[in-house]
Amino acid sequence: MPDFLFPVNKTVEKEFWTSNFDFETHTKEIVCTDGDKGDGLIEPYPQKIEFTDFPIKQIKLYVIEDGENKIFMVPS
């Protein structure tokens, strides 16, 4: 994944990414959170994409680090 879309994020140990697509405006909002570990939701990196034709309304990913690599997983 390109760094501009998934930047290095050292503020949280586990990342929860949600991507929401607006079918009317063809825009997308991507939000990274810490999943709320009980101390309130931390949202270290939101991003708005002005135009996309990615047809899925919402996708969620769970991300963990494995050394220098990030592993993106789809929750069950």
Side-chain angles (χ1 to χ4, degrees):
M1 296 292 171
D3 286 340
F4 72 91
L5 187 56
F6 299 107
V8 174
N9 182 356
K10 297 295 183 189
T11 59
V12 294
E13 157 182 328
K14 296 177 186 172
E15 301 171 8
F16 296 86
W17 289 82
T18 303
S19 173
N20 295 303
F21 178 66
D22 184 327
F23 286 98
E24 292 181 16
T25 61
H26 292 276
T27 60
K28 184 170 282 291
E29 179 181 43
I30 300 173
V31 178
C32 172
T33 71
D34 70 342
D36 192 2
K37 298 179 286 187
D39 54 353
L41 189 66
I42 297 174
E43 189 177 291
Y45 188 79
Q47 180 179 1
K48 292 191 184 281
I49 297 175
E50 294 182 18
F51 178 82
T52 183
D53 57 358
F54 189 71
I56 298 174
K57 183 170 177 96
Q58 184 181 72
I59 187 167
K60 293 184 178 192
L61 300 171
Y62 172 71
V63 183
I64 61 170
E65 287 190 33
D66 180 24
E68 294 183 11
N69 301 310
K70 286 190 175 188
I71 301 169
F72 286 76
M73 298 179 282
V74 179
S76 59

